[in-house]
Amino acid sequence: MPRPSLVVLPLLILSLAYFAQSYISPLGPAPHLGSGVALYGITFSSLIGYAQATLMAPFHANAQPGPEPQAPLTQLHSSPELPGAEFESEYPCEDTTDGNVDADADPRPRFKRRIIAVGDIHGDLVNAHRVLQMANVVDEDGFWTGNVDVLVQTGDIIDRGDDTIDLFEWMEELREKAHAMGGTVISLLGNHEWMNVIGDWRYVYPSEIDTFEGPSKRQEAVTTGWLANNWAANYTTAVRLPLHSMLGPPNTDYPPPEDGKYAHANAGPLSHAAFSFVHGGLAPSYPNLQPFPSAINNISASLLHKLRSRKPQPPPHPPHAYPGLPVGTTREESRLYGSDGPLWYRGWAEGDEAKMCAQVDQVLQKTGTRRMVMGHTPNMRSVVARCGGKVLIIDTGISHTYGGVLSALSIDYSLEPVKGGGWKEQEVVKALYAEQDDELLVHATRDLAADAIL
Ligand SMILES: *[C@@H]1O[C@H](CO)[C@@H](O)[C@H](O)[C@H]1NC(C)=O
Ligand SMILES: *[C@@H]1O[C@H](CO)[C@@H](O)[C@H](O)[C@H]1NC(C)=O
């Protein structure tokens, strides 16, 4: 056993290095940490953890690995002398490990997730297919490949093109196939889907109306019929997507309800390890940001229900008058559809970056997220990253109506154990393009103490 003085000096150096590294992390301190005191807390606990691991190491050399991790993760090999902390948190994912315990493996699981997000598609099946194939979400026949964990589409599939029916049917096929292969398809309503439920047909192509066999069948589909049923069942207006399954499934609320299953994880050091997705944007002035996203999605569900229950449905505009929102719409419901609501807001695309980033931080803080992704405001040349990649605007005018670039956003997240008991968290966010070089938008890493995860 080494003499205590020989242990303490390297530990001191290590903890100082750790502190420096946390401090200069490109991501900065976790939003809820925010102070040097809290960082010292982590440093101090990591020091204790490291000291324990060092001192205990010889006695653990022949120890059995800890309980099998409950996650479909690859084992990362490392020295058996530093067993580190066992990963005992509950994972909601399936256990796909095969039961053969490798005595040399770090018993702590490595977690990886690949997310692809796609913006406004506007009635163009050919370009939508090219984008999803380019991003490796589907194969050349349009089938789910299984190479991506989550696909998010941020709304505006309808209008300005003819392929409405095929696109929405394809999304349901993908949702089912993805689910069967352990993947997830997440769908959002854009302002154009809402316009159609309301009866605002200003951007509907006459040739598209023919694909529904005329205006009355189309109106039925987008209000009381199959397409609106589909929206009510499988689409929401806002999404919070935790990056790690430990934080819960998509749309786990922030702040977490006190007695909720994921309350502990969503209050800890990974509390903001999540992205938000809405079609337009989450304005700082918008009053229903918390709990996120259920406050928005509940208002969205009740407005959708009121619109679909109108009897008779008002005739579409044009040629008829704009029907507006139904009698009995609440203030919250009309605000949802207002200019600073999540469907129409353009402030993050148009605002002065020097002034807006502090407000971006406020919204991220409130919604339990690190970055926010949105469509709605097209930039025909590229995905737009603002405020250091905290704002990601992914509408690049994919539909041939616009003639923009074919793009998708990829998010690769990983959390892996490091020797000595800590963890390394990594986010790599890229813009993928069909006809130009991909672009790295964010590469953020963060070191966490062993006990930060438990
Ligand atoms: C919603 O998605 C589920 C799962 O894929 C599917 O079974 C269901 O038919 C969809 N509902 C509607 C109304 O489209
Ligand atoms: C949203 O609706 C669900 C189901 O009705 C309810 O349990 C939940 O408390 C609501 N949340 C908010 C924030 O209104």
Side-chain angles (χ1 to χ4, degrees):
M1 166 109 29
R3 292 215 321 272
S5 60
L6 292 180
V7 174
V8 168
L9 189 62
L11 283 181
L12 195 64
I13 292 165
L14 186 91
S15 71
L16 284 172
Y18 184 92
F19 178 79
Q21 207 177 359
S22 312
Y23 200 72
I24 59 166
S25 154
L27 209 58
H32 74 284
L33 290 176
S35 75
V37 176
L39 281 171
Y40 263 114
I42 282 192
T43 308
F44 187 62
S45 56
S46 79
L47 187 140
I48 292 174
Y50 186 83
Q52 269 171 356
T54 309
L55 295 172
M56 298 299 284
F59 304 105
H60 275 218
N62 297 317
Q64 294 300 308
E68 187 122 17
Q70 298 288 303
L73 308 166
T74 52
Q75 299 283 346
L76 199 81
H77 290 261
S78 77
S79 154
E81 287 92 331
L82 295 174
E86 268 116 30
F87 203 100
E88 287 174 342
S89 358
E90 238 183 78
Y91 274 82
C93 7
E94 289 154 37
D95 184 359
T96 59
T97 47
D98 59 10
N100 293 324
V101 177
D102 180 346
D104 284 346
D106 189 321
R108 301 175 305 155
R110 176 180 191 216
F111 183 86
K112 283 181 75 170
R113 180 176 273 177
R114 183 165 173 79
I115 300 158
I116 295 286
V118 175
D120 308 40
I121 290 169
H122 283 305
D124 191 335
L125 182 67
V126 170
N127 282 358
H129 183 192
R130 288 175 70 195
V131 164
L132 293 190
Q133 194 184 341
M134 174 268 295
N136 209 358
V137 174
V138 303
D139 62 18
E140 58 185 1
D141 299 316
F143 294 117
W144 186 262
T145 59
N147 295 328
V148 161
D149 300 302
V150 184
L151 168 67
V152 186
Q153 199 283 323
T154 56
D156 276 15
I157 288 175
I158 204 168
D159 284 354
R160 303 182 194 273
D162 288 347
D163 302 334
T164 307
I165 295 174
D166 288 344
L167 280 165
F168 284 107
E169 286 181 351
W170 187 37
M171 288 300 141
E172 287 319 300
E173 275 172 39
L174 291 180
R175 196 184 317 285
E176 216 164 279
K177 293 273 163 52
H179 186 69
M181 292 170 75
T184 306
V185 172
I186 298 177
S187 302
L188 289 137
L189 294 169
N191 62 309
H192 281 265
E193 279 79 29
W194 281 97
M195 288 167 82
N196 277 275
V197 191
I198 290 167
D200 182 347
W201 286 27
R202 282 175 295 155
Y203 301 92
V204 183
Y205 280 17
S207 48
E208 188 252 20
I209 297 176
D210 295 343
T211 68
F212 284 87
E213 296 171 357
S216 63
K217 285 207 172 143
R218 186 182 192 280
Q219 184 175 33
E220 189 191 327
V222 299
T223 55
T224 57
W226 70 272
L227 191 46
N229 287 341
N230 181 208
W231 295 339
N234 291 339
Y235 286 66
T236 61
T237 293
V239 167
R240 176 172 180 259
L241 180 61
L243 295 171
H244 198 299
S245 59
M246 186 173 62
L247 299 175
N251 292 345
T252 298
D253 267 339
Y254 186 88
E258 266 173 35
D259 50 355
K261 191 173 174 191
Y262 303 102
H264 183 63
N266 281 281
L270 290 180
S271 63
H272 286 62
F275 280 33
S276 72
F277 298 84
V278 295
H279 179 69
L282 295 169
S285 56
Y286 184 70
N288 300 106
L289 291 175
Q290 285 190 321
F292 184 78
S294 73
I296 290 175
N297 288 337
N298 284 11
I299 297 165
S300 165
S302 73
L303 179 59
L304 189 58
H305 178 75
K306 281 179 191 167
L307 285 162
R308 301 185 63 211
S309 310
R310 284 203 272 206
K311 284 194 183 84
Q313 285 289 332
H317 164 76
H320 302 277
Y322 177 61
L325 297 178
V327 178
T329 297
T330 64
R331 284 164 69 99
E332 283 186 324
E333 288 161 358
S334 58
R335 188 89 185 244
L336 179 89
Y337 196 69
S339 61
D340 76 346
L343 297 156
W344 288 96
Y345 187 64
R346 293 188 199 274
W348 301 138
E350 294 169 349
D352 175 356
E353 198 167 332
K355 290 183 192 151
M356 73 184 218
C357 297
Q359 293 186 315
V360 169
D361 285 338
Q362 281 171 24
V363 173
L364 295 174
Q365 177 60 42
K366 275 190 185 170
T367 53
T369 53
R370 286 191 191 150
R371 305 178 196 285
M372 38 184 166
V373 182
M374 65 216 80
H376 189 50
T377 307
N379 178 299
M380 307 302 167
R381 287 180 301 275
S382 69
V383 166
V384 174
R386 310 190 76 193
C387 302
K390 291 175 181 173
V391 170
L392 297 158
I393 306 166
I394 62 171
D395 179 5
T396 60
I398 287 169
S399 167
H400 67 266
T401 315
Y402 285 95
V405 296
L406 303 187
S407 71
L409 189 78
S410 76
I411 301 157
D412 286 290
Y413 176 82
S414 65
L415 184 68
E416 48 188 271
V418 292
K419 276 190 185 184
W423 296 86
K424 183 179 178 194
E425 197 193 23
Q426 180 165 264
E427 278 171 77
V428 179
V429 182
K430 288 181 185 167
L432 310 180
Y433 298 107
E435 287 160 352
Q436 62 200 50
D437 289 345
D438 296 346
E439 199 184 346
L440 179 68
L441 303 175
V442 175
H443 184 183
T445 59
R446 185 196 268 176
D447 298 304
L448 292 158
D451 57 0
I453 307 296
L454 291 170

